Amino acid sequence: MRILLVEDEAEFAKALRGALEREQFVVDWVNSLSLANEASQSRVHELVLLDRTLPDGDGVDLIAPFRSNNPGVPIIVLSARGELSDRITGLDEGADDYLVKPFELEEMFARIRAVQRRPNELAPDEIVVGHMVFDMAFGEARVKGMRLDLQRREVRVLNALVRRRGRTVLRESLEDSVYGFDDEIQSNTLDSHISRLRRKLSVADAGVEIHTVRGVGYLLKAKE
């Protein structure tokens, strides 16, 4: 999942970004409403974590314009403004949830999982392809009950492929799922992740294959 973090307190943002990335999320961090509005044009984010007190305005003013470009994307407000009236304003303006600072990381991750489920209550928590089970909430793959030892970006690639199993995933779409705005992407980096994934899935007898669709992207499906 790719997250847009809108937060002007640098130390807090760096700590939060680190915690999110350790949980396999791709995080783009901006520190103002204007930069957040620019980021909304990319339409690559699947969740927004939004501070209210920003140098150029109230974070809730982002919600309506962001939603016009990114319908259905959940928005969680993270704010020190915790009075009842503040929380009501945030929710009435369209936020999906409102978490008052300071908070425990475990609660934030639980709320992220909760809003992920809301757009489609029928979306599966786990997806099975071949002998592999991919846990969508926790971002891990298991084969015959054993957790695969995957690097962070390998998990992101596998997540994107599993979500669209049986269909070709464009190379550009995979890169959007794996890399943030600040990441430097070399021409063969994605290919390296795919190569390592193939090897690990084969060794684990996962019963899945990742096919290269030359000049287009990649496709994951169960072995025949």
Side-chain angles (χ1 to χ4, degrees):
M1 169 182 280
R2 188 163 177 176
I3 293 175
L4 178 63
L5 172 61
V6 187
E7 170 63 60
D8 69 324
E9 294 181 22
E11 291 304 314
F12 177 75
K14 289 175 184 177
L16 191 56
R17 183 180 191 176
L20 289 161
E21 289 180 340
R22 286 192 293 275
E23 295 296 320
Q24 313 301 335
F25 296 108
V26 181
V27 183
D28 294 313
W29 168 38
V30 297
N31 60 7
S32 68
L33 280 178
S34 59
L35 290 175
N37 272 311
E38 288 182 24
S40 75
Q41 306 299 317
S42 67
R43 296 181 175 85
V44 297
H45 298 102
E46 300 164 89
L47 176 76
V48 179
L49 298 177
L50 177 64
D51 188 20
R52 286 198 62 177
T53 308
L54 296 167
D56 52 351
D58 189 336
V60 297
D61 292 337
L62 173 72
I63 296 175
F66 186 91
R67 283 266 168 73
S68 68
N69 289 315
N70 304 266
V73 172
I75 297 175
I76 301 177
V77 172
L78 308 178
S79 178
R81 296 168 61 173
E83 296 295 328
L84 177 61
S85 59
D86 294 318
R87 302 197 304 272
I88 290 173
T89 296
L91 295 169
D92 281 347
E93 290 295 326
D96 294 274
D97 203 348
Y98 197 111
L99 188 56
V100 178
K101 300 175 183 175
F103 52 80
E104 296 294 332
L105 288 174
E106 290 80 2
E107 181 179 5
M108 181 190 70
F109 289 127
R111 292 183 184 231
I112 289 173
R113 292 193 293 271
V115 297
Q116 281 182 273
R117 291 192 292 267
R118 288 178 192 170
N120 183 3
E121 295 293 338
L122 298 178
D125 293 328
E126 297 181 336
I127 293 177
V128 180
V129 187
H131 306 145
M132 180 186 69
V133 178
F134 193 88
D135 189 312
M136 304 303 291
F138 291 94
E140 66 176 31
R142 300 187 303 275
V143 177
K144 301 172 185 176
M146 299 294 293
R147 181 176 177 273
L148 292 185
D149 183 15
L150 302 177
Q151 296 179 9
R152 183 176 64 192
R153 284 177 173 158
E154 293 167 1
V155 171
R156 293 172 181 171
V157 172
L158 186 58
N159 187 323
L161 291 171
V162 165
R163 286 177 183 273
R164 286 165 278 186
R165 59 205 177 279
R167 293 178 286 165
T168 300
V169 182
L170 298 179
R171 184 183 187 89
E172 293 81 2
S173 179
L174 273 176
E175 289 177 342
D176 284 343
S177 299
V178 175
Y179 302 105
F181 291 150
D182 299 331
D183 293 327
E184 293 184 9
I185 308 172
Q186 298 180 355
S187 60
N188 64 341
T189 304
L190 180 60
D191 303 312
S192 298
H193 295 322
I194 294 288
S195 178
R196 287 194 295 270
L197 262 179
R198 283 174 171 151
R199 183 169 61 253
K200 291 178 180 180
L201 292 169
S202 176
V203 169
D205 189 25
V208 300
E209 297 175 321
I210 301 175
H211 296 270
T212 300
V213 182
R214 197 168 301 279
V216 179
Y218 296 93
L219 180 150
L220 180 142
K221 66 177 184 178
K223 286 185 176 179
E224 299 294 339

